[in-house]
Amino acid sequence: MIELQDIVLVAFAYLIGSIPSSVWIGRRFYGIDVRDLGSKNAGATNTLRTLGKKAGLVVLLLDMIKGWLAVSLACLSSYKSGSSTIIHLEVAMSIAAIIGHIFPIYAGFKGGKGVATTMGIIMGISPIMALLCVVVFALVLVISHYVSLASIIAVLSFPIWIILYKTTHPWLMAFSIVLPVMVIITHRKNVFRLLRKQESELRLFPHKRAN
């Protein structure tokens, strides 16, 4: 049975997810709306490309923190930690936070793709699984130089870690499958560009030109 506290916490998770870090930082410190530049996406990658490494890193950390916070606040409920009921609530709050990031109420419902927020959510569920996803992301990015591809494969690895860690709760398993689907949907344009070999690269260690 859904209780009032569940509705309040899920709504609060949406509001947390809606915090448009890149938009607010861009407007406050640079006088720029990142949604008007680059990929026109309100996320850490576009912030990095348009405003620089410092702004990109701050947005990345803030978006991860809001994902972690959204799922962690389930502890404010009256449910017992580790119970099936609180897992249901955590999943609902996680989805609400991602929806908030993609469709933020504070920024005209035009937000980002939710990858950093998703990583924060996974961190709230299991720091070890989050670390494994980050390792996958880093390896794919270093090899391919495509942030979109690294993001998709990293989130696709989440169900694998769920299975390996024998976390068999049906809602958590279902959520681990829903996450990659949501990421692929938000990255559908990137997927088409990848297939056409038109996707922009991001090289962490650019080659220096010889004098």
Side-chain angles (χ1 to χ4, degrees):
M1 181 178 177
I2 299 176
E3 299 187 10
L4 177 60
Q5 67 169 356
D6 302 340
I7 298 173
V8 171
L9 286 171
V10 169
F12 196 44
Y14 168 79
L15 294 176
I16 292 174
S18 287
I19 297 173
S21 308
S22 61
V23 175
W24 286 356
I25 288 175
R27 288 175 175 173
R28 174 65 178 82
F29 297 102
Y30 299 86
I32 293 172
D33 189 332
V34 295
R35 296 174 299 178
D36 295 331
L37 302 172
S39 65
K40 304 186 185 301
N41 178 257
T45 302
N46 193 40
T47 303
L48 171 67
R49 286 186 171 131
T50 57
L51 303 182
K53 293 180 180 179
K54 183 178 180 180
L57 180 59
V58 171
V59 169
L60 175 65
L61 291 175
L62 289 176
D63 284 352
M64 290 181 66
I65 288 172
K66 71 183 186 183
W68 171 83
L69 183 61
V71 68
S72 298
L73 286 180
C75 68
L76 296 178
S77 71
S78 60
Y79 305 131
K80 183 179 178 181
S81 177
S83 66
S84 178
T85 310
I86 200 169
I87 291 177
H88 292 170
L89 179 59
E90 288 174 344
V91 169
M93 292 176 71
S94 299
I95 293 174
I98 295 172
I99 292 174
H101 180 82
I102 299 172
F103 304 106
I105 192 172
Y106 311 118
F109 301 99
K110 185 182 178 183
K113 297 176 182 177
V115 174
T117 302
T118 295
M119 293 306 296
I121 286 169
I122 296 175
M123 188 179 296
I125 294 173
S126 170
I128 294 177
M129 292 185 195
L131 178 60
L132 291 170
C133 289
V134 169
V135 170
V136 171
F137 175 88
L139 288 174
V140 177
L141 179 59
V142 169
I143 293 171
S144 71
H145 310 297
Y146 294 124
V147 175
S148 56
L149 182 62
S151 301
I152 292 170
I153 294 180
V155 180
L156 280 171
S157 73
F158 182 44
I160 297 174
W161 309 132
I162 289 283
I163 294 171
L164 291 178
Y165 273 82
K166 299 180 180 179
T167 309
T168 55
H169 190 281
W171 273 61
L172 197 54
M173 283 294 299
F175 179 58
S176 73
I177 295 172
V178 169
L179 271 184
V181 173
M182 293 179 69
V183 170
I184 291 173
I185 290 174
T186 58
H187 283 77
R188 58 191 181 279
K189 293 182 180 178
N190 303 83
V191 172
F192 291 136
R193 287 197 295 267
L194 283 167
L195 293 174
R196 294 193 297 264
K197 298 182 179 180
Q198 297 174 346
E199 180 73 335
S200 299
E201 294 185 348
L202 178 64
R203 293 183 178 270
L204 298 177
F205 309 102
H207 296 294
K208 293 183 179 180
R209 295 182 178 180
N211 294 328

PDB file of all heavy atoms in Angstrom, residues 6 21 63 80 90 97-98 106 125 134-135 140 144 150 153 155 159 177 194 197-198:
ATOM      1  N   ASP A   6       5.558   8.042   1.144  1.00  0.00           N
ATOM      2  CA  ASP A   6       6.135   7.592  -0.113  1.00  0.00           C
ATOM      3  C   ASP A   6       5.962   8.654  -1.199  1.00  0.00           C
ATOM      4  O   ASP A   6       6.894   8.962  -1.941  1.00  0.00           O
ATOM      5  CB  ASP A   6       5.473   6.284  -0.570  1.00  0.00           C
ATOM      6  CG  ASP A   6       5.604   5.174   0.453  1.00  0.00           C
ATOM      7  OD1 ASP A   6       6.499   5.276   1.314  1.00  0.00           O
ATOM      8  OD2 ASP A   6       4.829   4.209   0.384  1.00  0.00           O
ATOM      9  N   SER A  21      22.141  21.910 -12.432  1.00  0.00           N
ATOM     10  CA  SER A  21      23.476  22.387 -12.053  1.00  0.00           C
ATOM     11  C   SER A  21      24.163  23.146 -13.180  1.00  0.00           C
ATOM     12  O   SER A  21      24.685  24.255 -12.973  1.00  0.00           O
ATOM     13  CB  SER A  21      24.351  21.194 -11.635  1.00  0.00           C
ATOM     14  OG  SER A  21      23.715  20.410 -10.666  1.00  0.00           O
ATOM     15  N   ASP A  63      25.776  16.726 -10.043  1.00  0.00           N
ATOM     16  CA  ASP A  63      24.755  15.834 -10.599  1.00  0.00           C
ATOM     17  C   ASP A  63      24.832  14.448  -9.961  1.00  0.00           C
ATOM     18  O   ASP A  63      23.806  13.796  -9.749  1.00  0.00           O
ATOM     19  CB  ASP A  63      24.906  15.733 -12.117  1.00  0.00           C
ATOM     20  CG  ASP A  63      24.389  16.972 -12.833  1.00  0.00           C
ATOM     21  OD1 ASP A  63      23.783  17.827 -12.158  1.00  0.00           O
ATOM     22  OD2 ASP A  63      24.584  17.090 -14.055  1.00  0.00           O
ATOM     23  N   LYS A  80      12.013  -0.428   7.437  1.00  0.00           N
ATOM     24  CA  LYS A  80      13.242  -1.027   7.947  1.00  0.00           C
ATOM     25  C   LYS A  80      14.295  -1.093   6.851  1.00  0.00           C
ATOM     26  O   LYS A  80      14.013  -1.443   5.709  1.00  0.00           O
ATOM     27  CB  LYS A  80      12.954  -2.434   8.469  1.00  0.00           C
ATOM     28  CG  LYS A  80      14.169  -3.128   9.090  1.00  0.00           C
ATOM     29  CD  LYS A  80      13.794  -4.498   9.601  1.00  0.00           C
ATOM     30  CE  LYS A  80      15.017  -5.211  10.188  1.00  0.00           C
ATOM     31  NZ  LYS A  80      14.664  -6.574  10.683  1.00  0.00           N
ATOM     32  N   GLU A  90      13.199   3.125  -2.779  1.00  0.00           N
ATOM     33  CA  GLU A  90      14.465   3.588  -3.351  1.00  0.00           C
ATOM     34  C   GLU A  90      14.411   3.580  -4.878  1.00  0.00           C
ATOM     35  O   GLU A  90      14.891   4.508  -5.527  1.00  0.00           O
ATOM     36  CB  GLU A  90      15.618   2.714  -2.863  1.00  0.00           C
ATOM     37  CG  GLU A  90      15.985   2.930  -1.410  1.00  0.00           C
ATOM     38  CD  GLU A  90      17.032   1.953  -0.913  1.00  0.00           C
ATOM     39  OE1 GLU A  90      17.251   0.926  -1.581  1.00  0.00           O
ATOM     40  OE2 GLU A  90      17.626   2.207   0.147  1.00  0.00           O
ATOM     41  N   ALA A  97      14.191  10.900  -9.613  1.00  0.00           N
ATOM     42  CA  ALA A  97      15.347  11.802  -9.705  1.00  0.00           C
ATOM     43  C   ALA A  97      15.863  11.890 -11.137  1.00  0.00           C
ATOM     44  O   ALA A  97      16.224  12.977 -11.616  1.00  0.00           O
ATOM     45  CB  ALA A  97      16.458  11.316  -8.775  1.00  0.00           C
ATOM     46  N   ILE A  98      15.904  10.758 -11.827  1.00  0.00           N
ATOM     47  CA  ILE A  98      16.366  10.756 -13.222  1.00  0.00           C
ATOM     48  C   ILE A  98      15.409  11.539 -14.102  1.00  0.00           C
ATOM     49  O   ILE A  98      15.829  12.336 -14.951  1.00  0.00           O
ATOM     50  CB  ILE A  98      16.517   9.312 -13.733  1.00  0.00           C
ATOM     51  CG1 ILE A  98      17.616   8.592 -12.959  1.00  0.00           C
ATOM     52  CG2 ILE A  98      16.847   9.303 -15.227  1.00  0.00           C
ATOM     53  CD1 ILE A  98      17.714   7.115 -13.261  1.00  0.00           C
ATOM     54  N   TYR A 106      12.670  23.357 -12.720  1.00  0.00           N
ATOM     55  CA  TYR A 106      13.276  24.672 -12.526  1.00  0.00           C
ATOM     56  C   TYR A 106      13.856  25.265 -13.811  1.00  0.00           C
ATOM     57  O   TYR A 106      14.285  26.417 -13.815  1.00  0.00           O
ATOM     58  CB  TYR A 106      14.422  24.593 -11.504  1.00  0.00           C
ATOM     59  CG  TYR A 106      14.079  23.888 -10.219  1.00  0.00           C
ATOM     60  CD1 TYR A 106      14.742  22.724  -9.844  1.00  0.00           C
ATOM     61  CD2 TYR A 106      13.098  24.379  -9.370  1.00  0.00           C
ATOM     62  CE1 TYR A 106      14.446  22.076  -8.659  1.00  0.00           C
ATOM     63  CE2 TYR A 106      12.788  23.735  -8.179  1.00  0.00           C
ATOM     64  CZ  TYR A 106      13.462  22.581  -7.832  1.00  0.00           C
ATOM     65  OH  TYR A 106      13.158  21.947  -6.662  1.00  0.00           O
ATOM     66  N   ILE A 125      22.962   3.043  -4.062  1.00  0.00           N
ATOM     67  CA  ILE A 125      22.516   1.658  -3.940  1.00  0.00           C
ATOM     68  C   ILE A 125      23.660   0.756  -3.520  1.00  0.00           C
ATOM     69  O   ILE A 125      23.527  -0.084  -2.622  1.00  0.00           O
ATOM     70  CB  ILE A 125      21.915   1.170  -5.277  1.00  0.00           C
ATOM     71  CG1 ILE A 125      20.626   1.953  -5.591  1.00  0.00           C
ATOM     72  CG2 ILE A 125      21.633  -0.328  -5.237  1.00  0.00           C
ATOM     73  CD1 ILE A 125      20.060   1.672  -6.964  1.00  0.00           C
ATOM     74  N   VAL A 134      32.108   2.891 -12.999  1.00  0.00           N
ATOM     75  CA  VAL A 134      33.034   3.979 -13.318  1.00  0.00           C
ATOM     76  C   VAL A 134      34.273   3.435 -14.024  1.00  0.00           C
ATOM     77  O   VAL A 134      34.776   4.045 -14.977  1.00  0.00           O
ATOM     78  CB  VAL A 134      33.435   4.746 -12.040  1.00  0.00           C
ATOM     79  CG1 VAL A 134      34.593   5.699 -12.325  1.00  0.00           C
ATOM     80  CG2 VAL A 134      32.247   5.524 -11.494  1.00  0.00           C
ATOM     81  N   VAL A 135      34.763   2.285 -13.561  1.00  0.00           N
ATOM     82  CA  VAL A 135      35.925   1.659 -14.208  1.00  0.00           C
ATOM     83  C   VAL A 135      35.602   1.306 -15.657  1.00  0.00           C
ATOM     84  O   VAL A 135      36.401   1.558 -16.563  1.00  0.00           O
ATOM     85  CB  VAL A 135      36.367   0.391 -13.432  1.00  0.00           C
ATOM     86  CG1 VAL A 135      37.403  -0.392 -14.241  1.00  0.00           C
ATOM     87  CG2 VAL A 135      36.944   0.774 -12.074  1.00  0.00           C
ATOM     88  N   VAL A 140      36.282   2.393 -21.447  1.00  0.00           N
ATOM     89  CA  VAL A 140      35.670   2.601 -22.766  1.00  0.00           C
ATOM     90  C   VAL A 140      35.995   3.991 -23.291  1.00  0.00           C
ATOM     91  O   VAL A 140      36.278   4.169 -24.483  1.00  0.00           O
ATOM     92  CB  VAL A 140      34.143   2.383 -22.710  1.00  0.00           C
ATOM     93  CG1 VAL A 140      33.508   2.686 -24.067  1.00  0.00           C
ATOM     94  CG2 VAL A 140      33.821   0.961 -22.291  1.00  0.00           C
ATOM     95  N   SER A 144      37.866   4.418 -26.709  1.00  0.00           N
ATOM     96  CA  SER A 144      37.051   4.894 -27.841  1.00  0.00           C
ATOM     97  C   SER A 144      37.041   6.405 -28.006  1.00  0.00           C
ATOM     98  O   SER A 144      36.819   6.918 -29.109  1.00  0.00           O
ATOM     99  CB  SER A 144      35.613   4.415 -27.676  1.00  0.00           C
ATOM    100  OG  SER A 144      34.969   5.094 -26.610  1.00  0.00           O
ATOM    101  N   ALA A 150      30.798   5.337 -23.823  1.00  0.00           N
ATOM    102  CA  ALA A 150      31.252   4.948 -22.485  1.00  0.00           C
ATOM    103  C   ALA A 150      30.092   4.963 -21.491  1.00  0.00           C
ATOM    104  O   ALA A 150      29.975   4.068 -20.646  1.00  0.00           O
ATOM    105  CB  ALA A 150      32.363   5.882 -22.026  1.00  0.00           C
ATOM    106  N   ILE A 153      27.680   1.883 -22.244  1.00  0.00           N
ATOM    107  CA  ILE A 153      28.252   0.594 -21.852  1.00  0.00           C
ATOM    108  C   ILE A 153      28.396   0.494 -20.332  1.00  0.00           C
ATOM    109  O   ILE A 153      28.164  -0.575 -19.744  1.00  0.00           O
ATOM    110  CB  ILE A 153      29.611   0.377 -22.545  1.00  0.00           C
ATOM    111  CG1 ILE A 153      29.393   0.235 -24.058  1.00  0.00           C
ATOM    112  CG2 ILE A 153      30.312  -0.861 -21.998  1.00  0.00           C
ATOM    113  CD1 ILE A 153      30.655   0.021 -24.853  1.00  0.00           C
ATOM    114  N   VAL A 155      26.482   1.880 -18.016  1.00  0.00           N
ATOM    115  CA  VAL A 155      25.169   1.602 -17.423  1.00  0.00           C
ATOM    116  C   VAL A 155      24.680   0.205 -17.820  1.00  0.00           C
ATOM    117  O   VAL A 155      24.009  -0.473 -17.036  1.00  0.00           O
ATOM    118  CB  VAL A 155      24.144   2.681 -17.835  1.00  0.00           C
ATOM    119  CG1 VAL A 155      22.784   2.392 -17.233  1.00  0.00           C
ATOM    120  CG2 VAL A 155      24.619   4.050 -17.378  1.00  0.00           C
ATOM    121  N   PRO A 159      23.403  -4.233 -14.722  1.00  0.00           N
ATOM    122  CA  PRO A 159      22.709  -5.507 -14.466  1.00  0.00           C
ATOM    123  C   PRO A 159      23.669  -6.674 -14.256  1.00  0.00           C
ATOM    124  O   PRO A 159      23.362  -7.607 -13.499  1.00  0.00           O
ATOM    125  CB  PRO A 159      21.868  -5.714 -15.742  1.00  0.00           C
ATOM    126  CG  PRO A 159      21.737  -4.365 -16.343  1.00  0.00           C
ATOM    127  CD  PRO A 159      23.003  -3.645 -16.000  1.00  0.00           C
ATOM    128  N   ILE A 177      17.627  -3.010 -15.362  1.00  0.00           N
ATOM    129  CA  ILE A 177      17.351  -3.155 -16.794  1.00  0.00           C
ATOM    130  C   ILE A 177      16.725  -1.883 -17.354  1.00  0.00           C
ATOM    131  O   ILE A 177      17.019  -1.465 -18.478  1.00  0.00           O
ATOM    132  CB  ILE A 177      16.417  -4.361 -17.034  1.00  0.00           C
ATOM    133  CG1 ILE A 177      17.132  -5.663 -16.625  1.00  0.00           C
ATOM    134  CG2 ILE A 177      15.975  -4.435 -18.494  1.00  0.00           C
ATOM    135  CD1 ILE A 177      16.237  -6.890 -16.635  1.00  0.00           C
ATOM    136  N   LEU A 194      27.047   7.778 -33.723  1.00  0.00           N
ATOM    137  CA  LEU A 194      28.087   6.758 -33.589  1.00  0.00           C
ATOM    138  C   LEU A 194      28.053   5.799 -34.776  1.00  0.00           C
ATOM    139  O   LEU A 194      29.099   5.427 -35.327  1.00  0.00           O
ATOM    140  CB  LEU A 194      27.904   5.974 -32.285  1.00  0.00           C
ATOM    141  CG  LEU A 194      28.340   6.671 -30.995  1.00  0.00           C
ATOM    142  CD1 LEU A 194      27.807   5.917 -29.782  1.00  0.00           C
ATOM    143  CD2 LEU A 194      29.858   6.778 -30.924  1.00  0.00           C
ATOM    144  N   LYS A 197      29.507   7.380 -37.611  1.00  0.00           N
ATOM    145  CA  LYS A 197      30.875   7.818 -37.316  1.00  0.00           C
ATOM    146  C   LYS A 197      30.989   9.349 -37.341  1.00  0.00           C
ATOM    147  O   LYS A 197      31.967   9.910 -37.811  1.00  0.00           O
ATOM    148  CB  LYS A 197      31.871   7.196 -38.290  1.00  0.00           C
ATOM    149  CG  LYS A 197      31.920   5.673 -38.205  1.00  0.00           C
ATOM    150  CD  LYS A 197      32.958   5.087 -39.146  1.00  0.00           C
ATOM    151  CE  LYS A 197      33.003   3.573 -39.021  1.00  0.00           C
ATOM    152  NZ  LYS A 197      34.010   2.956 -39.923  1.00  0.00           N
ATOM    153  N   GLN A 198      29.961  10.007 -36.803  1.00  0.00           N
ATOM    154  CA  GLN A 198      29.915  11.468 -36.759  1.00  0.00           C
ATOM    155  C   GLN A 198      29.902  11.997 -35.324  1.00  0.00           C
ATOM    156  O   GLN A 198      29.783  13.205 -35.111  1.00  0.00           O
ATOM    157  CB  GLN A 198      28.680  11.984 -37.509  1.00  0.00           C
ATOM    158  CG  GLN A 198      28.661  11.652 -38.987  1.00  0.00           C
ATOM    159  CD  GLN A 198      27.363  12.058 -39.667  1.00  0.00           C
ATOM    160  OE1 GLN A 198      26.367  12.353 -38.998  1.00  0.00           O
ATOM    161  NE2 GLN A 198      27.361  12.074 -40.990  1.00  0.00           N
TER     162      GLN A 198
END
